[in-house]
Amino acid sequence: MTKTIYLVAAARPNFMKIAPIYHHLKIQEWASPHIIHTGQHYDINMSDSFFRDLNLPEPYINLGIGSGTHAEQTGRVMIEFEKLLIRERPDLVIVVGDVNSTMACTIAATKLGVKVGHLEAGLRSFDRNMPEEINRIVTDSLVDILWTPSVDGNANLQNEGIDASKIELVGNIMIDSLEMVRDKIDQEEIIYKLGLDRTDYAVVTLHRPSNVDNKETLQNICRMLSRTSKKMKIVFPIHPRTKKQIEKFNLQDTINSNGLIQIDPLNYISFMNLVSNAKMLITDSGGIQEETTYLGIPCLTLRENTERPVTVEQGTNTLCNTETVEEQITNVISGQYKTGKNPEFWDGHTADRLGASIERFLFNQ
Ligand code: UD1
């Protein structure tokens, strides 16, 4: 009997997480995967271009919820997703990551008795000022099956009292996406279009409210970037939230520097081409901490904590602030930065393990 499986995607980092499992399920005779886009991200370069790069079909349904406050976004997703669930009642809903839509869809489905699985379960920053931490805790406390990317995830979930029988370590799905389109990433020519030489530039991404929503913090970061751009070229694809904040706080002049190339957010393949040829990343993204560990590229993360500690303990990631980051930049430039290794199961085969787990879950329960 074919099982209908909803794959929920909402915001930029979700698309790389559903793509490998969509392609895996699509060729299983027991599965009928449907992509549900909540519409949290809607710009072409924040959403559509990822579907194209990752060979995904148009979403089965786009709930079109758009931007808003946390409660507005969460509420709208719950209302629209609940209508769909009542109409169609899938056999399983899979949510990924930690965005508002992840939590909203989990609550709506669980309350209707629809089974839910969480991919990328168990990550914890232990910082409840992060909206994503709330989303992770609520989601993990409700779902029926939890797929973790690394062993720390299993430990966190068991510490919260979640039954070990519901938890399965499957590995990091983002690495599957990267390997799936690796040839295209390697053939892409964005770095030459931007006038850059391989391993001779840094890439910066910033979008966390803790870095961009406070004027003084953002100003300090902009000044640090401006100083760094005198030592090494920097490419800065600017997230829409960050762009708005730079304009609001009048910081355009602070980051206007010859060595700092400001561009719009990039599609996945171009962005990964930029990352894989970079000397280093300066970021506050979650996914980039993982991708750089896999690629062995230094990653300086402008955050006080991370929900992905294996990237610091085993990989190439270092947590920094605007003061300590400059010392680390010097270490990278002088070749004295640490090297890392890959965590277990970050191997491009997570979708196979996940697919087998979904089949067991749906047919043996
Ligand atoms: C969201 C996620 C965050 C994730 C990030 C990746 C939550 C709480 N946050 O943060 O975990 O790391 O996505 O990018 O779910 N905007 C556009 N075009 C778009 C989307 C957003 O212009 O396509 C602008 C809007 O002004 C919006 C702002 O960006 O208000 C922020 O978008 P939002 O989805 O609320 O949060 P992100 O900061 O993107």
Side-chain angles (χ1 to χ4, degrees), residues 236-348:
F236 187 9
I238 306 189
H239 185 284
R241 173 192 285 274
T242 310
K243 188 170 181 210
K244 271 194 191 164
Q245 297 302 87
I246 288 176
E247 282 161 13
K248 181 172 153 196
F249 299 143
N250 255 319
L251 293 170
Q252 294 98 325
D253 287 346
T254 317
I255 48 166
N256 254 343
S257 142
N258 280 343
L260 206 155
I261 306 167
Q262 298 175 46
I263 56 175
D264 285 336
L266 289 170
N267 58 301
Y268 179 65
I269 287 172
S270 300
F271 184 69
M272 288 317 302
N273 176 267
L274 199 61
V275 170
S276 45
N277 288 301
K279 182 87 169 172
M280 72 182 110
L281 267 286
I282 301 171
T283 190
D284 59 12
S285 151
I288 292 172
Q289 296 172 50
E290 301 180 332
E291 287 156 343
T292 46
T293 275
Y294 181 68
L295 294 167
I297 294 171
C299 180
L300 309 179
T301 298
L302 290 175
R303 283 177 48 187
E304 284 174 9
N305 47 54
T306 178
E307 61 288 338
R308 293 162 163 92
V310 287
T311 60
V312 176
E313 288 151 16
Q314 299 180 34
T316 54
N317 188 21
T318 303
L319 298 181
C320 300
N321 57 38
T322 42
E323 275 142 42
T324 59
V325 72
E326 293 191 62
E327 190 186 324
Q328 294 297 342
I329 291 169
T330 308
N331 287 342
V332 175
I333 292 174
S334 62
Q336 285 169 324
Y337 191 77
K338 67 175 176 179
T339 50
K341 64 170 183 138
N342 259 332
E344 189 189 9
F345 292 152
W346 292 26
D347 57 3

Side-chain angles (χ1 to χ4, degrees), residues 11-13 40-43 46 67-68 70 73 98-101 131-132 135 207-208 239-241 244:
R12 192 166 57 175
Q40 181 172 341
H41 282 179
Y42 41 84
D43 287 348
M46 298 292 283
S67 300
H70 288 276
Q73 247 175 8
D98 53 17
V99 301
N100 286 342
S101 304
E132 292 82 358
N135 296 341
H207 74 283
R208 296 269 161 227
H239 185 284
R241 173 192 285 274
K244 271 194 191 164

